[in-house]
Amino acid sequence: MNGIPPFRVLRAKRLWITNGVITGVLALLFAVFYVGANIDPADHLTKLPVGLVDADKGASVGGKRVDLGARITESVKKSTAGGHKIDWKVMDEKEMREELGKGKLFGALVVPADFTSSATALTGTAPTGTPARPALTVLTNQSAGSVGSGLARTATTQAAEKASLQVGKELTARIGTTQAKLPAAARVLLTDPAAVTVEDGHPLDSHSGLGLTAFYYALTLVVVGMLSANVLSGQVDHALGYTHNDMGPLRLHRPLIRATRVQTLAISSTLMAGLSLLLGTLVTVGAVGVMGMDAAHLPLLWLYSVCAIAVTGIGALTLLAVFGTPGMLVVTLVFVGMAVPTAGATTPIEALPGFYRFLAEFEPLRQIVGGIRSILYYDAQGDAGLTRGWAMMAAGLVAAALFGFGVLGWYDRKGLHRIPAETTPDKTAVPA
């Protein structure tokens, strides 16, 4: 003991300034990433993919061929001409169902086969009864994300309502003065002839969290990998004798085993890969077996979970090894701070500001979410996100290995070796 009171360190300006800067920057970055990405999704919306299906078979009216479905689809496209918020994908009904079933559409607007015949029937002179309204169907897709599905539903409903008014004007102009002969109910319907109905375009099972279980499951994998890396980094350093291990009031220490930085990362990465088998199993059992999450393709889900934890953990170990103590802050920003807002699970990528869309191209959570979504919701189809998920995880693993072993190898060659703690164990220590 040197007799200096420990609380005297609080007088050190550097202690306050250094920690204030670090924690202040962290707080600011989290506010920017989390809040900034979600302040106004509708305003940042860019080319949200929505299906537009014209199944109308048309009808013969007064000896002339009439196809109101084609007029509606043309009206919908013209109503957004010059705009950039909605990317209308004109397709047939089969293709639309397939795209909804891969999460590539956030919704769709369908003109049914009998639309023209039902709409033109409103111009008849039925003496009694209320004429039946033709329907335009708005399909949602919660599996692609609830916010994106909601934005698509709003835009599609508005487009359908405008198209109905346009059709009403055309029908009114077609019958001219004879509309006075129609029943009052028919005249009212004629101005806005189409009913807009909303249906779920890709129904999910009841235990799918309204399309959010994929996100929370993927987030669990990333957090488990990240936190496990932090634990393993410290435990490997303790096992090699480079650091103490405080267990409550006891400080444990092992004899020094000299290891280069490259060797240390190799040891911790091997341990991470092996333990990922256990961790992936427990996450799958906890989510599916204990909590009852709806999940198909369980062997594939388990394998993907194991690999996601391993890659995340090795990536985090690399950052911890390269940056040292600040590495945990870097890990937190990369795997949580920048990852959650850009995952495309809550707010769609198409509704994020440009900077966040850029981050989403390589942020690990988005890639993992895509693969989990494919397994849970889209029958494990490769082009529904699973192929990209596997490819990006492989690329991430290679990048982590090249960056980690490359930088640490340079540290070793420059003689920037780690300074071990004292090798004599404390008197209070107990055998490990």
Side-chain angles (χ1 to χ4, degrees):
M1 299 292 292
N2 54 18
I4 299 176
F7 285 101
R8 188 174 179 180
V9 298
L10 292 175
R11 297 181 182 180
K13 292 182 179 179
R14 180 177 295 181
L15 181 67
W16 288 95
I17 293 173
T18 301
N19 288 282
V21 169
I22 294 174
T23 56
V25 169
L26 191 65
L28 177 62
L29 289 177
F30 263 81
V32 169
F33 287 130
Y34 273 61
V35 181
N38 299 285
I39 286 179
D40 193 356
D43 185 58
H44 292 118
L45 192 62
T46 303
K47 295 188 179 300
L48 189 75
V50 178
L52 183 56
V53 178
D54 176 18
D56 189 12
K57 295 180 179 179
S60 179
V61 181
K64 295 182 179 180
R65 184 69 180 171
V66 178
D67 188 347
L68 295 179
R71 308 268 181 92
I72 287 177
T73 55
E74 190 65 26
S75 173
V76 169
K77 289 189 291 182
K78 283 184 177 180
S79 68
T80 56
H84 60 276
K85 293 185 179 296
I86 301 297
D87 183 13
W88 295 103
K89 304 286 188 181
V90 179
M91 57 185 64
D92 60 35
E93 194 163 3
K94 179 181 178 182
E95 185 180 5
M96 178 268 295
R97 293 290 179 183
E98 291 175 351
E99 296 293 282
L100 286 173
K102 295 177 182 178
K104 294 185 177 182
L105 296 176
F106 286 88
L109 175 61
V110 180
V111 183
D114 62 347
F115 185 83
T116 296
S117 59
S118 297
T120 54
L122 297 177
T123 63
T125 55
T128 60
T130 302
R133 299 181 73 186
L136 294 174
T137 304
V138 171
L139 298 179
T140 60
N141 190 8
Q142 282 193 329
S143 67
S146 56
V147 174
S149 179
L151 290 170
R153 172 178 174 170
T154 299
T156 307
T157 302
Q158 290 175 349
E161 291 171 348
K162 289 180 180 178
S164 176
L165 294 174
Q166 185 63 37
V167 169
K169 291 179 181 179
E170 183 173 335
L171 293 176
T172 301
R174 180 180 296 275
I175 63 174
T177 58
T178 59
Q179 65 176 302
K181 301 178 181 180
L182 296 176
R187 290 198 301 271
V188 173
L189 282 180
L190 202 58
T191 60
D192 185 11
V196 179
T197 61
V198 179
E199 299 177 5
D200 192 345
H202 184 70
L204 297 174
D205 294 326
S206 59
H207 288 180
S208 295
L210 300 177
L212 287 175
T213 49
F215 168 67
Y216 287 113
Y217 188 90
L219 181 61
T220 299
L221 298 178
V222 169
V223 170
V224 167
M226 181 184 74
L227 295 181
S228 298
N230 190 45
V231 171
L232 295 183
S233 177
Q235 291 301 310
V236 168
D237 284 348
H238 171 62
L240 292 174
Y242 279 88
T243 61
H244 296 300
N245 191 11
D246 290 334
M247 302 293 290
L250 303 179
R251 170 161 288 190
L252 310 179
H253 190 72
R254 289 181 178 274
L256 177 65
I257 301 174
R258 292 195 176 273
T260 65
R261 294 178 183 272
V262 168
Q263 290 171 334
T264 303
L265 179 59
I267 292 169
S268 58
S269 296
T270 302
L271 190 60
M272 184 75 246
L275 290 178
S276 294
L277 294 168
L278 170 65
L279 300 175
T281 301
L282 293 176
V283 171
T284 306
V285 169
V288 180
V290 177
M291 301 310 299
M293 181 182 78
D294 287 319
H297 308 283
L298 275 178
L300 179 59
L301 179 65
W302 170 82
L303 178 62
Y304 194 89
S305 302
V306 169
C307 293
I309 291 175
V311 172
T312 301
I314 291 172
L317 285 168
T318 296
L319 295 175
L320 290 169
V322 170
F323 293 105
T325 300
M328 195 59 202
L329 299 180
V330 179
V331 169
T332 303
L333 285 174
V334 171
F335 290 100
V336 179
M338 296 187 296
V340 172
T342 59
T346 50
T347 302
I349 303 301
E350 293 82 358
L352 295 175
F355 172 68
Y356 300 89
R357 290 199 297 271
F358 167 74
L359 290 179
E361 291 300 318
F362 55 84
E363 267 296 326
L365 182 57
R366 186 211 170 183
Q367 326 308 327
I368 295 173
V369 167
I372 296 296
R373 228 181 219 162
S374 176
I375 296 171
L376 294 183
Y377 307 151
Y378 305 135
D379 199 29
Q381 298 177 83
D383 58 348
L386 186 56
T387 299
R388 178 187 173 93
W390 283 120
M392 292 300 287
M393 279 202 293
L397 183 61
V398 171
L402 292 176
F403 176 66
F405 289 111
V407 173
L408 296 180
W410 181 79
Y411 287 171
D412 287 336
R413 289 192 300 273
K414 289 293 183 178
L416 302 173
H417 302 301
R418 307 180 67 200
I419 300 175
E422 63 270 23
T423 56
T424 303
D426 292 351
K427 295 180 180 180
T428 56
V430 297

